[in-house]
Amino acid sequence: QEQKERVNMVGMKHKPKAHQQQVNSTSSSQTNGTTDWYSKTKARSPINNSSSRTSPTNASSSTIPRFPMSAMNQFQTSTRKQRLQLKNMSNSPTNRRFILFFGFFVLAGLHTVIITTQLQKYLKEDAANALEASKFSFQTTSEKMSKEERIPTYRGLEEVVPVEDIKKPPIQRGILDLDQLEKAAAEVEAAAKEIQKNTRPLTIDDLELGDYINHGAINVVSRVTLPDWWWEQVREQHKDKSTPIPTAKNSKYVVKLAAGDWRVEFAKRECKALQKLNKKKRKVRELNIIPTLMMGPSNFTNPFHTDQQRPIPSSFPDKYVKRLREEPEIVAIVVPFYDQNYLSKPSKWVDNLDDVRYFLQTLLQTLAYAHSLGINNMDISGSNVKVDIYGRALILDWNANQVDGQPIYDPLANTWITAPEGLLEQTGLDSPKSVLQESVSGMDIWSVGVMLTNLVFDPCFFVNPRGLGLHSSQVPEDQQRTEFPKHYGLIETMLLRLGGETRIPVGEGTMLDLATLVGLSRNDVLKQKFDLPLYTNNSTCQETDFEMLEDVSKGDIEQLHSVLKTIFKISPLNRPTAQDLLAHPFFQEKKPKGKIAKKQAWNKEEVIYDLSLADMKIGDFIGNGMINIVSFVEFPDWWYRQHNVKKEEQKYVIKMAPGDKWYTSQGDRECDVLEKMNKNVTLARKHNILPNVFCMRRARNPFYRNPARQLPPSFSFKHTKRLRKEHKMTAVVVPFFNLQRAEDYCDDLDDVRLFISSLLETLDYSHSLGINNFDLSSSNVKISPKGRAVVMDWNANKANGQDMYDPTANTRITAPEGLLEYGLTQEDRILQTSISAMDIWSVGTMLADLVFDPCWWVSRDDIDFQHPNEIHSYDYIRAMLLQIGGESLIPIGNNKTLDLANLVGLNRSDILKGKFNLPIYDDDGRCKTKDFEMLKDVPKEEVDMIYSFLETSMKIALQERPTASELLKHPFLATEESQSATKSKAELAKIIADVPMHYLDASVEETNDVGTSKVRQLTANDIEIGQFIGNGAINLVAIALLPDWWYKQNKVSKKTHFVVKIAVGGDWYTLQGERECDVIEVLSRDKKKAKQFGIVQAVFMSRTIPNPFRNKHIPSKFPKGLAKKLRSAKNVVAIVQPFLDLDWVHDLKQFKDIRYFIRSLLQTLEYAHSLGINNFDLSDSNVRVDDDGEAVVMDWNANKKLGEPIYDSMANLWFTSPEGMLERGPKGETIRLTSISAMDIWSVGIMLVYMMYEPCQWVNPDVPRMRNQKSLLKEVVKSVGGETRIPIGDGKELDLAERFGLNREDLLQKKWKMPLYDLGQDDKCDQMDTEAYLVLYSAKNKELDDMHDFLKSIMKISPAERPNATTLLKHPFMDFSYDR
C-alpha cells in the first residue's frame, strides 16, 4: 500500500508544504538516507522499465516526486527489492491502463511538444518552489558510488553523467540558476551580522541587583542597575528622534526573578505572553501594557547558583537568597519600575462610579487585545492589577496564563476571583480526570466582574471562602465549615444565588453538571433568579446604602446590575468576551472625575515611549510649498500626558515631504537644522526658533498604498495622490501659532524696525552655528503678535562648498550669485563661499518691499528679457550692476573668482565708479512714486538711514555684504527702542518668545554657551602665562592672561582675573586633567545648581592637546623646575577658571561657622554624588572658604568611578579612609571602589576633627610612630572599632581585624573613640576635655553631643556603614540657623 501511494504521488503537482508532509508520512518506514536529485532535463521514465538499465548503487534513498506525470517523472530506486516491487506494481490493472494511455501519446507523436513545453514550465515552477521550500536538503549519500552511472532517458537512450554531477544539488547543476539570489542572500546575512554586531543584547550577566522590593508566589522583585553601555546604545538608537530619551538618572527598572523548577515554568509562560503582547509597540502604548527590556537567559542557567560569589544585596530576605543560591534554573524579566506615587490599588484610588467605569474599560481593552492573541491572565486581582495616576489599568504579571486544553485548576490561584470551573481539580469525587480549560476569556471576565463588585459595593464583597467561612486561614478553625470537599460550598452558594445554566465544559467534548456535583437540582437552579452574592466576614451583606452609589442616577444603577448579570454566568460558554462587554452601555465613553481628573502633571517615573508617525492623526490641510504638504496633526493622548500639554490649548502642524531622495533630503536638512538650533533651548526660545517636536527622517511613508490611513477631505486630489504614491517621506512637526504676513502687520517704521532687527538676531544666531536659510521670503518669514520675526522653514539651507544655484529658488529674494549655475564655462560651477551673504540680501529686499510699498525691490522677473541668446539672469545682473554699482568680482569657490561685469559685457572699472541708485519697481517698470505711505511724517534723517542700510547690505560682491551682527549695529536699528531689550539681564527676561515652548521647561536668560551671536572661540594659543600661584600633584597653577577681544566679547571687566591649571608630566597626568574637564562639564550643566553649590566653572577647557606653552613667555619668578617641565611637555590639559580670593579652612575659629561650612560642603557633595561624581581628594588644601563662609572645592582631578582600583600612591593619607590605604586583598586581588560617597564622607569627618579639635589632629603620618600605612591603619581600627570587614569588589570582603591580628568580636563590642594626637607628637589627646579646645570651649552641651554623634556616624571602618551626604544633612548637628 505504501508503494502504491508513492507511485500515485508522482502524478501530483508539487507544492512544498504538502509535499513535505507527504514525504514525512511515507518515509518513516524507509531506511535513513539522503535524497539524490538528478539534474538533467532528460529524465528516465518510470513506465518504460523494459528499456531502462540502471547501475545499482549502494546509497539508500527515498523517492521524492519532482515533476507531474504528464511532463516527465524523476524517481530513484535504491535497492533491488524496491525495483522488483515497482515492476510488480506495473502489472496491476490500474497501472496497465495508465501505461497504455501514456504509450498512446508517445506513439501519436505528441510527446515531443507536450513533454518539452511542460518540462520547461514545471522546471521554472519547481525552481521557484525549491526556493520557497528552503527546508529541503540538497545532500547526497555519503557512501561511495561508481565512477559513472548510466541513466536511461525516456527514449530508452543512454547518457553518461559523471557521478560528481549526480551528487550535486540541482542549484549547482544548472537546474536552478540562482547566483543572484545567493549573492543577495549573502548580502542580507552580512547585513544581519552587522546589525547584530552593532546591537548588543542585554543579558542577565549585565544586571546588578539593587534593593529588594517584594515577592509573590513565583517571583522575587528587586531594583536593578543597567550597564552604562546599554544606556549609550539606547541613546545612539534614539539620536534621530525628538522624544525624550530615557537616561540612567530619570528611568528606573526592576527585575523579576523566578528560580526553581515549577516557578521557572510559570515564568516561561509570562515570557511568551509578554513577547506576544509587546510585539506591536503602538498597542503597548495605547493599552498600557507593561513593556519589557529583557527576558532570559535563553538557557535558564542561574548565575547566582553557578557563581556563589555573585553579589546579592543584603536587603534580600535569607530565604530568597537561599533560593537564588540553590536553584540551578532561573528566569529574569526586566520591566520599568512604577513607584507608589504612580501606581496604587484600585480600591485606594477610584472613588466614584465614573472612575470605576473608566478603570475597567481600560482593563477590558487590554484583555480584549490579549485574548485576540490567545493569551489570558487568570489572575485579575487587586494585587496584580493596579491603577495609574491617570486612572488606567496596568496588569503587572502574566505568569498564571494558560492555554486551552490544559488543566484549569491551580492550587496557588486566588479563590476570591476564581470562576466556578477553576475551583475544581477533578470532574468528580471519584473521577481522576482533570477539568481542562475550554475558554480563553471566561476566567478573566469573571474576575473583572468580581473586581467591579468589590469596588462598587465596598465594604461588602463578592462571595468567597472567607465570606462563607470555608477553609480560610483568616477564619478560626472552630468556625470553619468542613461538610463539603474543598470549594464545593462556594460553588453551591454561587449556583443558588446566580442561577442559570449549570453545565460547564471540562474538555474532550464532555460537560459537567455542577448542580449534580454539589447535590442540587439542575432544574431548580435554572429557575433561580439572579441575586448578587454579597458577603462580609462570615455572613451575608446587610448593607443597603453604598457610598459609591450615592448621587448615582437610577439609569446608571440599572446598567451596573445589567453588566454584572451579563458577566456572572456559571457556564464560561455563556459569558461575554471582553470586546462584547466594551459594547455594553455601562462602559460607554465617560471621562473620569475625582482624584483621577485632578491628576494632570506628568509623572517623571512614567515610561517614555518613542513617538512615531503611525501614532498621529492627520488633521485639516493648511497649505503646501515646493517641498512640503502642511496640515494640522493630533498626537495620541499618552503624548500629551507625557509632556504635560493640554490638548485643547495647543495645536501642532506637520510638514510632510513625500517623494524621491531630493524631496526627502530637503526635509532631512530641516530636521538637522532644527535639532542643532534647539540644542541651546534658551537661545532658541529667545530667537523664536521653531521647536523640533518630532522629526522622521526619510522613512517609509505610512500613507503609501494604504487606504486604511485616511486623509481629511480638505486634502486636494493632487496632494492625496502624492502622499499615496510616494514610498518614502520626511516629516517635521512643530507647534502651530497664529502669525501674520509682515506687510499686513507693519503699519509704521517702528514696526518694520522691530521686525527686521528680530529677524537679523535670528539669523545672527543661526549663522553662528554655520546655518543659513536661503529662502527668506514673505511667505516663509511671518510676524508674531508681538511684532517679532518667526522663520517658518529651513529646508533650503546650504553649506559652504555646495552649488549656489537652485532652479526652484524664489528669484524675487535671490542675490545675483544665486541666479547663476556656472561662470564663463560650465566647468566653473558657482559654489557657496559665505554662510550669511544670501540671507543678508534677502533681508534687504524684504525691508525695501515693506518700506516702499506699493513698489518693491527689483527681481529678475521685472527685467525685460531682451537678449534671447543669453541666460535670462544676465539682463537682471546687468541692471543691478548699472543701478547699484560697486565691486563686481565675486568668489565662486575653489579659490576662483568671477567678474560679473565681464560676464554680462560691461566694464568693471565703470561699475566700480557707479553710485548706488535704489532699484525699486512697480507694475509699470521703474517706480515713479515719491510719496510712500510708511515714510510720511518720518524725519529725513531716518529716511537717509534706510537708504544707508540698503546701500550697506545690498552689495553685488557678496564678500562686501555685512554680517547680521554688523547690521544690528547700523544706526537704522541701533535706536533706544530697538536696543532696550539688551540693556540689562532683567529687561532681557521680560522678552517672552512667541513660540510655544512650555513642554521644554525653558526660561529666557543670558548665556555664554557656544552658539551665542558672533562668538569667537578662545583657544589655548590665546592664553599667556602670568604670575605663578602654586602647584599640586597634577597641576601647576598660574595667572591666565586672556586677549582683549575676549573681555570685550563677553562683556567682562579687565579687572576680573583668571587662573590657568595646566596638567603636565605624561599620559597619566593629562588623563587626570581630562577627568577634571569631564567632571566640571557635568557639574556645570545646571548653571543654577553649579552656582548654588560653589562649583568653580571654567571659561575654557582643552583636553589633551599639543603643548602651546613651549615657546611662550614664562615669568622669571616661575620655579625653574616647573618652568622646565612646562617647556618640555609634549601634551597638556589646560583649564581656565576665575581667580577666587578664598580663605583657608583653618581660618574658621567659631563653632557655628565651622558647622555652616561643613553643611555647605555636604550640600556640594550631595549634588556631585547624585551625578555619580566623587572628589577623592577633600583636604584642607583643596577645599577653601568663600566670603559667605561656604565651602568651595578647588580640584576634581582625583575622582574615581565605581569598580576602579581605589588605591592611589599619591593620595593624601591624612584624609584617606581605611579602604583607600590598601592596594591588595588577602589573595593579592586589587581592592576596588564600591561606593561613590564613602571616601568623601570620611574626609569630611577628618576635616571637621581638624577644625574643632585644634591643635590636636586625627592620627596621621606626622605622628612619629605612625609613619607607615600599616601602623596608621591599625591604630584607626583599634580606636574606632565596629565592623572591620570592608567590601573590595566582585562580592568579596577583607577583614582588617584579621589583617592586623586583632579580634573582630572584641572590636565589634568596642566603644567608639577618636584616635586624637597632639600635632607632631606621640601624645594622645582627650576628646572629652572640651575646655582644652578653643573652638569647643563656647559650645553648648547639646551642640557637643550632636557633634560627637555626627562624627561617630561618619567615622566608620566599613564604607558600607557610612551614611551619604543626604542622610548627614538631616542629622541634628546640621539642623541650625546661621547668621554670619
Side-chain angles (χ1 to χ4, degrees):
Q1 182 62 30
E2 286 182 357
Q3 293 297 338
K4 184 176 180 180
E5 290 177 356
R6 290 168 60 82
V7 172
N8 290 338
M9 284 171 55
V10 176
M12 298 177 61
K13 185 173 179 179
H14 171 69
K15 291 184 179 180
K17 290 185 178 178
H19 172 78
Q20 185 182 14
Q21 294 171 357
Q22 291 170 344
V23 172
N24 291 340
S25 65
T26 58
S27 61
S28 59
S29 63
Q30 301 291 326
T31 55
N32 293 331
T34 55
T35 304
D36 289 329
W37 296 79
Y38 285 78
S39 61
K40 298 300 179 178
T41 56
K42 296 179 180 180
R44 59 186 175 181
S45 169
I47 308 304
N48 191 12
N49 284 312
S50 60
S51 61
S52 300
R53 290 180 299 152
T54 338
S55 298
T57 64
N58 294 326
S60 175
S61 59
S62 301
T63 303
I64 304 296
R66 291 294 291 167
F67 309 116
M69 175 65 77
S70 59
M72 181 172 295
N73 298 302
Q74 285 189 347
F75 74 101
Q76 178 184 3
T77 57
S78 58
T79 63
R80 178 177 178 84
K81 182 179 179 180
Q82 288 178 341
R83 289 199 299 274
L84 288 174
Q85 288 178 345
L86 189 60
K87 184 175 180 180
N88 293 333
M89 285 165 45
S90 65
N91 295 325
S92 66
T94 302
N95 287 332
R96 281 200 299 270
R97 285 194 297 270
F98 186 75
I99 293 169
L100 292 173
F101 184 69
F102 182 82
F104 171 78
F105 279 96
V106 175
L107 296 175
L110 297 176
H111 65 284
T112 304
V113 176
I114 295 176
I115 291 176
T116 305
T117 305
Q118 293 295 321
L119 177 61
Q120 292 176 352
K121 174 183 176 182
Y122 284 108
L123 278 174
K124 292 179 181 179
E125 288 183 1
D126 204 59
N129 288 333
L131 177 61
E132 293 176 5
S134 57
K135 296 181 180 179
F136 287 171
S137 173
F138 296 107
Q139 297 179 353
T140 58
T141 179
S142 59
E143 298 181 17
K144 295 182 180 180
M145 299 180 69
S146 58
K147 290 295 182 179
E148 58 185 32
E149 185 172 17
R150 298 185 178 275
I151 302 178
T153 66
Y154 72 96
R155 290 182 177 179
L157 301 178
E158 295 181 357
E159 180 175 295
V160 177
V161 180
V163 174
E164 289 74 11
D165 284 350
I166 295 175
K167 293 182 179 181
K168 292 179 181 178
I171 204 166
Q172 296 179 10
R173 285 186 264 147
I175 291 181
L176 305 177
D177 187 9
L178 301 175
D179 292 341
Q180 294 182 352
L181 179 63
E182 291 185 66
K183 184 178 179 182
E187 292 175 356
V188 170
E189 185 179 358
K193 289 181 179 178
E194 186 65 23
I195 292 172
Q196 188 176 7
K197 176 182 176 184
N198 296 333
T199 305
R200 179 180 171 185
L202 195 64
T203 66
I204 192 171
D205 294 324
D206 299 318
L207 306 181
E208 180 182 342
L209 294 187
D211 291 338
Y212 165 85
I213 297 178
N214 57 31
H215 70 278
I218 310 298
N219 297 318
V220 180
V221 186
S222 77
R223 288 182 180 269
V224 66
T225 301
L226 305 180
D228 292 340
W229 62 260
W230 185 86
W231 293 108
E232 293 299 328
Q233 185 169 283
V234 170
R235 294 188 190 98
E236 182 66 23
Q237 293 170 353
H238 287 66
K239 67 179 180 180
D240 293 335
K241 299 180 181 179
S242 60
T243 52
I245 300 172
T247 63
K249 179 183 175 183
N250 64 18
S251 298
K252 299 176 183 177
Y253 294 91
V254 297
V255 60
K256 302 195 295 182
L257 301 170
D261 294 341
W262 64 271
R263 293 185 179 90
V264 166
E265 291 305 316
F266 276 91
K268 287 179 183 178
R269 290 188 198 173
E270 184 169 21
C271 288
K272 291 179 181 178
L274 289 174
Q275 188 175 13
K276 288 184 180 180
L277 293 171
N278 278 271
K279 199 166 187 178
K280 294 184 178 180
K281 300 302 180 185
R282 186 177 178 184
K283 289 289 186 182
V284 172
R285 293 191 289 267
E286 289 178 354
L287 303 177
N288 212 23
I289 294 170
I290 190 165
T292 55
L293 265 69
M294 188 209 82
M295 294 183 291
S298 57
N299 59 358
F300 309 110
T301 302
N302 183 0
F304 301 98
H305 173 71
T306 56
D307 181 7
Q308 293 290 324
Q309 300 302 317
R310 187 181 179 92
I312 298 177
S314 57
S315 56
F316 271 64
D318 291 340
K319 67 176 181 178
Y320 299 121
V321 174
K322 183 180 179 182
R323 181 192 298 175
L324 290 176
R325 294 297 188 200
E326 292 179 353
E327 297 293 347
E329 289 190 344
I330 196 170
V331 172
I333 303 176
V334 178
V335 296
F337 171 70
Y338 302 93
D339 66 4
Q340 60 185 357
N341 296 322
Y342 182 77
L343 290 182
S344 62
K345 289 186 176 181
S347 58
K348 293 183 178 179
W349 187 253
V350 292
D351 55 4
N352 59 75
L353 192 60
D354 286 335
D355 287 356
V356 172
R357 193 194 322 263
Y358 180 70
F359 165 71
L360 292 179
Q361 185 184 40
T362 58
L363 175 59
L364 285 170
Q365 289 170 348
T366 303
L367 291 176
Y369 174 59
H371 295 164
S372 69
L373 301 175
I375 299 169
N376 54 21
N377 186 275
M378 300 287 286
D379 188 20
I380 301 296
S381 62
S383 60
N384 189 30
V385 181
K386 304 294 184 181
V387 59
D388 67 11
I389 57 175
Y390 307 112
R392 300 170 300 173
L394 179 67
I395 301 176
L396 297 180
D397 288 324
W398 293 84
N399 51 30
N401 74 88
Q402 292 186 356
V403 181
D404 283 354
Q406 287 184 339
I408 196 171
Y409 179 75
D410 184 357
L412 297 174
N414 184 344
T415 54
W416 287 48
I417 51 94
T418 302
E421 65 271 17
L423 296 172
L424 296 174
E425 185 174 2
Q426 296 177 343
T427 55
L429 295 176
D430 301 323
S431 173
K433 289 187 178 181
S434 298
V435 179
L436 305 181
Q437 178 172 287
E438 289 290 308
S439 170
V440 168
S441 62
M443 182 72 77
D444 290 343
I445 297 302
W446 181 279
S447 301
V448 169
V450 173
M451 188 172 287
L452 172 59
T453 304
N454 294 346
L455 288 172
V456 172
F457 297 102
D458 184 63
C460 300
F461 46 78
F462 190 83
V463 63
N464 57 51
R466 179 180 171 185
L468 295 177
L470 296 173
H471 303 281
S472 172
S473 59
Q474 300 184 25
V475 178
E477 288 187 10
D478 58 343
Q479 298 180 24
Q480 289 187 9
R481 294 170 55 192
T482 57
E483 63 268 26
F484 286 113
K486 194 174 185 180
H487 305 314
Y488 276 30
L490 183 58
I491 296 173
E492 179 192 24
T493 303
M494 291 178 181
L495 292 172
L496 292 174
R497 297 290 294 270
L498 299 177
E501 179 59 65
T502 63
R503 290 182 298 187
I504 65 171
V506 293
E508 299 178 355
T510 59
M511 304 290 285
L512 173 66
D513 187 355
L514 292 181
T516 304
L517 183 69
V518 297
L520 299 176
S521 169
R522 178 170 174 266
N523 291 330
D524 292 343
V525 176
L526 284 171
K527 297 174 185 177
Q528 179 68 36
K529 290 185 178 181
F530 178 82
D531 181 20
L532 191 66
L534 292 178
Y535 279 72
T536 57
N537 292 339
N538 260 345
S539 64
T540 57
C541 180
Q542 304 299 326
E543 292 282 342
T544 56
D545 297 326
F546 299 98
E547 183 179 354
M548 192 171 287
L549 297 181
E550 293 179 1
D551 303 324
V552 174
S553 67
K554 184 178 179 181
D556 282 348
I557 293 178
E558 289 176 353
Q559 289 178 2
L560 172 64
H561 283 282
S562 172
V563 77
L564 289 174
K565 187 176 180 180
T566 305
I567 290 174
F568 288 123
K569 302 291 186 181
I570 298 296
S571 174
L573 300 179
N574 294 339
R575 287 174 214 148
T577 64
Q579 202 65 46
D580 295 336
L581 275 182
L582 287 170
H584 193 279
F586 179 75
F587 290 109
Q588 287 180 351
E589 190 87 26
K590 285 193 177 182
K591 292 184 178 179
K593 57 185 180 182
K595 295 178 184 177
I596 295 174
K598 294 176 183 177
K599 187 66 178 178
Q600 296 178 350
W602 161 246
N603 189 290
K604 298 296 183 183
E605 296 296 335
E606 185 170 7
V607 182
I608 295 176
Y609 296 109
D610 289 333
L611 186 67
S612 68
L613 192 58
D615 296 319
M616 303 179 198
K617 180 181 178 182
I618 302 299
D620 289 334
F621 175 82
I622 296 176
N624 70 286
M626 178 65 69
I627 309 297
N628 294 321
I629 299 172
V630 186
S631 73
F632 286 102
V633 67
E634 287 186 10
F635 296 131
D637 291 340
W638 61 262
W639 186 92
Y640 291 98
R641 291 192 301 267
Q642 180 169 295
H643 294 87
N644 196 22
V645 177
K646 294 183 178 179
K647 187 175 182 179
E648 59 276 7
E649 294 181 4
Q650 179 60 59
K651 294 182 179 180
Y652 295 90
V653 296
I654 182 170
K655 301 193 289 183
M656 298 173 284
D660 57 21
K661 192 172 183 180
W662 183 83
Y663 285 93
T664 54
S665 64
Q666 302 298 100
D668 289 352
R669 284 188 193 178
E670 186 164 26
C671 283
D672 295 336
V673 167
L674 290 176
E675 184 176 344
K676 191 172 182 180
M677 290 199 292
N678 279 286
K679 275 187 177 178
N680 190 319
V681 177
T682 303
L683 289 176
R685 189 174 183 187
K686 176 183 174 184
H687 296 110
N688 272 357
I689 304 300
L690 294 175
N692 183 18
V693 181
F694 171 82
C695 266
M696 181 186 79
R697 291 173 171 83
R698 187 169 170 76
R700 186 184 182 279
N701 178 6
F703 301 98
Y704 174 69
R705 296 181 180 178
N706 184 10
R709 293 280 297 184
Q710 295 296 321
L711 289 168
S714 55
F715 273 70
S716 67
F717 174 78
K718 178 178 71 174
H719 298 126
T720 303
K721 182 180 178 182
R722 183 180 168 196
L723 282 170
R724 295 291 190 203
K725 77 171 187 177
E726 298 297 345
H727 182 59
K728 296 291 185 180
M729 181 170 74
T730 295
V732 182
V733 177
V734 296
F736 170 78
F737 43 93
N738 188 22
L739 300 176
Q740 293 178 270
R741 296 171 73 95
E743 53 265 37
D744 298 332
Y745 181 93
C746 296
D747 295 325
D748 55 42
L749 199 59
D750 288 334
D751 290 341
V752 174
R753 182 183 288 113
L754 178 59
F755 171 73
I756 294 296
S757 62
S758 63
L759 175 57
L760 285 171
E761 287 171 355
T762 300
L763 293 175
D764 187 22
Y765 173 54
S766 70
H767 294 166
S768 69
L769 299 176
I771 298 167
N772 56 20
N773 185 276
F774 228 74
D775 187 21
L776 294 176
S777 62
S778 59
S779 61
N780 189 27
V781 182
K782 300 297 178 66
I783 194 167
S784 71
K786 296 182 176 64
R788 303 177 66 221
V790 180
V791 181
M792 304 300 294
D793 286 322
W794 294 86
N795 53 27
N797 71 91
K798 292 180 181 291
N800 281 343
Q802 287 185 323
D803 285 349
M804 283 284 288
Y805 180 71
D806 186 354
T808 64
N810 186 341
T811 57
R812 299 195 67 83
I813 50 95
T814 302
E817 67 272 13
L819 297 172
L820 297 172
E821 188 174 2
Y822 49 85
L824 295 174
T825 64
Q826 293 188 5
E827 286 75 19
D828 294 330
R829 301 192 66 82
I830 298 180
L831 308 179
Q832 178 171 288
T833 59
S834 169
I835 287 292
S836 62
M838 178 69 77
D839 290 345
I840 296 301
W841 179 278
S842 301
V843 171
T845 64
M846 200 173 294
L847 174 61
D849 292 349
L850 290 172
V851 173
F852 300 109
D853 183 66
C855 299
W856 58 79
W857 184 270
V858 65
S859 74
R860 185 185 70 175
D861 298 333
D862 297 318
I863 305 298
D864 292 334
F865 188 47
Q866 299 175 350
H867 301 83
N869 294 327
E870 290 182 350
I871 298 174
H872 188 187
S873 300
Y874 281 18
D875 286 324
Y876 173 74
I877 294 172
R878 190 179 291 112
M880 287 294 97
L881 289 169
L882 292 173
Q883 295 182 52
I884 295 178
E887 180 59 68
S888 63
L889 200 66
I890 64 169
I892 61 172
N894 297 325
N895 297 321
K896 296 180 181 180
T897 57
L898 173 65
D899 187 355
L900 293 178
N902 182 42
L903 182 70
V904 298
L906 298 177
N907 189 296
R908 178 169 172 253
S909 300
D910 295 338
I911 300 301
L912 282 169
K913 297 173 184 177
K915 293 183 178 180
F916 181 83
N917 186 12
L918 191 66
I920 55 175
Y921 278 59
D922 59 17
D923 292 332
D924 298 325
R926 289 297 296 269
C927 184
K928 304 293 192 296
T929 305
K930 298 291 184 182
D931 299 322
F932 300 100
E933 184 70 21
M934 194 167 285
L935 297 181
K936 286 181 179 180
D937 304 324
V938 175
K940 184 177 182 302
E941 293 78 12
E942 287 197 45
V943 175
D944 291 339
M945 279 190 244
I946 295 173
Y947 279 85
S948 171
F949 183 93
L950 290 171
E951 184 177 2
T952 304
S953 55
M954 309 304 281
K955 299 287 189 183
I956 297 293
L958 56 96
Q959 69 273 20
E960 291 185 353
R961 288 175 214 150
T963 63
S965 178
E966 292 167 347
L967 273 181
L968 284 167
K969 299 174 184 177
H970 192 277
F972 172 63
L973 300 178
T975 61
E976 280 190 20
E977 293 80 10
S978 63
Q979 292 299 313
S980 61
T982 59
K983 283 185 177 180
S984 67
K985 184 174 181 178
E987 292 175 345
L988 176 65
K990 295 179 182 178
I991 298 178
I992 301 176
D994 302 290
V995 177
M997 300 284 283
H998 44 265
Y999 55 87
L1000 293 178
D1001 193 23
S1003 59
V1004 180
E1005 61 183 26
E1006 286 184 338
T1007 178
N1008 290 326
D1009 289 348
V1010 177
T1012 314
S1013 302
K1014 196 63 181 177
V1015 171
R1016 179 178 172 185
Q1017 298 299 313
L1018 189 68
T1019 66
N1021 291 320
D1022 298 321
I1023 303 169
E1024 298 292 338
I1025 301 293
Q1027 178 184 345
F1028 175 76
I1029 295 178
N1031 69 290
I1034 310 298
N1035 297 321
L1036 59 87
V1037 187
I1039 294 293
L1041 306 177
L1042 304 182
D1044 292 343
W1045 62 260
W1046 187 89
Y1047 287 96
K1048 185 178 180 181
Q1049 174 180 281
N1050 292 278
K1051 299 178 182 179
V1052 177
S1053 171
K1054 287 191 175 181
K1055 294 181 180 179
T1056 304
H1057 299 295
F1058 295 89
V1059 297
V1060 57
K1061 300 196 294 184
I1062 308 172
V1064 295
D1067 293 342
W1068 183 85
Y1069 294 88
T1070 54
L1071 177 62
Q1072 301 302 105
E1074 287 189 349
R1075 282 194 173 191
E1076 185 165 20
C1077 290
D1078 296 336
V1079 168
I1080 292 174
E1081 183 178 349
V1082 173
L1083 293 176
S1084 301
R1085 282 176 185 166
D1086 191 325
K1087 305 295 182 185
K1088 292 181 181 178
K1089 287 188 176 180
K1091 185 176 180 181
Q1092 177 185 352
F1093 298 121
I1095 306 300
V1096 185
Q1097 302 184 51
V1099 299
F1100 169 80
M1101 291 188 297
S1102 77
R1103 290 165 174 80
T1104 305
I1105 56 172
N1107 185 3
F1109 306 108
R1110 277 187 168 186
N1111 301 316
K1112 289 193 175 186
H1113 171 72
I1114 297 179
S1116 57
K1117 293 186 178 180
F1118 227 80
K1120 292 183 180 180
L1122 294 177
K1124 182 179 180 182
K1125 187 177 181 181
L1126 180 58
R1127 290 197 186 283
S1128 61
K1130 292 183 179 180
N1131 298 311
V1132 298
V1133 173
I1135 303 175
V1136 177
Q1137 296 173 303
F1139 173 77
L1140 304 175
D1141 188 12
L1142 303 173
D1143 296 330
W1144 293 84
V1145 295
H1146 296 295
D1147 293 336
L1148 297 176
K1149 301 296 182 183
Q1150 296 294 323
F1151 187 85
K1152 61 179 182 180
D1153 291 346
I1154 295 173
R1155 288 177 76 182
Y1156 182 71
F1157 166 81
I1158 293 295
R1159 184 167 71 179
S1160 66
L1161 177 57
L1162 285 173
Q1163 288 169 343
T1164 301
L1165 292 176
E1166 180 186 32
Y1167 171 56
H1169 294 166
S1170 70
L1171 299 176
I1173 296 169
N1174 54 25
N1175 184 276
F1176 231 71
D1177 187 23
L1178 294 177
S1179 63
D1180 55 349
S1181 61
N1182 191 25
V1183 183
R1184 302 293 178 86
V1185 188
D1186 66 10
D1187 292 338
D1188 295 325
E1190 296 183 343
V1192 178
V1193 181
M1194 305 299 294
D1195 288 324
W1196 295 86
N1197 52 29
N1199 72 90
K1200 292 182 182 292
K1201 298 179 181 179
L1202 290 175
E1204 288 187 351
I1206 196 171
Y1207 180 75
D1208 186 351
S1209 59
M1210 305 183 73
N1212 187 338
L1213 290 180
W1214 281 257
F1215 294 86
T1216 301
S1217 60
E1219 67 271 17
M1221 292 186 184
L1222 298 174
E1223 184 176 5
R1224 302 285 179 183
K1227 297 181 180 179
E1229 61 270 43
T1230 301
I1231 299 178
R1232 300 186 179 277
L1233 184 66
T1234 59
S1235 169
I1236 285 290
S1237 61
M1239 176 73 81
D1240 290 345
I1241 297 301
W1242 179 276
S1243 302
V1244 170
I1246 298 291
M1247 201 173 296
L1248 178 59
V1249 171
Y1250 277 10
M1251 290 188 285
M1252 290 292 191
Y1253 290 92
E1254 190 181 1
C1256 292
Q1257 296 179 335
W1258 188 274
V1259 63
N1260 58 59
D1262 275 352
V1263 178
R1265 59 188 181 87
M1266 303 293 173
R1267 298 294 184 188
N1268 61 69
Q1269 296 177 12
K1270 183 176 180 180
S1271 302
L1272 181 64
L1273 184 53
K1274 185 176 181 179
E1275 178 66 18
V1276 172
V1277 173
K1278 286 171 59 179
S1279 299
V1280 174
E1283 180 58 69
T1284 59
R1285 290 186 295 194
I1286 62 173
I1288 61 175
D1290 298 329
K1292 299 178 181 179
E1293 290 183 338
L1294 169 64
D1295 190 347
L1296 292 179
E1298 182 181 344
R1299 182 74 173 259
F1300 299 119
L1302 304 174
N1303 188 303
R1304 177 171 172 268
E1305 297 300 327
D1306 293 343
L1307 291 174
L1308 285 171
Q1309 304 299 323
K1310 187 182 183 306
K1311 186 178 179 180
W1312 181 84
K1313 184 179 180 181
M1314 288 188 291
L1316 290 179
Y1317 282 79
D1318 199 354
L1319 185 61
Q1321 305 295 323
D1322 280 336
D1323 300 330
K1324 287 190 176 182
C1325 300
D1326 184 1
Q1327 68 185 48
M1328 304 307 296
D1329 186 9
T1330 55
E1331 295 183 358
Y1333 309 109
L1334 181 64
V1335 176
L1336 301 180
Y1337 184 77
S1338 59
K1340 298 177 182 179
N1341 289 336
K1342 175 67 167 63
E1343 293 175 331
L1344 292 174
D1345 292 342
D1346 288 343
M1347 184 196 70
H1348 281 289
D1349 187 68
F1350 183 79
L1351 283 171
K1352 184 178 178 180
S1353 64
I1354 289 178
M1355 310 308 285
K1356 301 284 189 181
I1357 298 298
S1358 173
E1361 292 188 343
R1362 288 175 218 147
N1364 56 30
T1366 303
T1367 303
L1368 286 175
L1369 285 169
K1370 298 175 184 178
H1371 193 278
F1373 183 61
M1374 294 288 98
D1375 183 17
F1376 63 95
S1377 58
Y1378 178 76
D1379 183 8
R1380 185 171 174 81

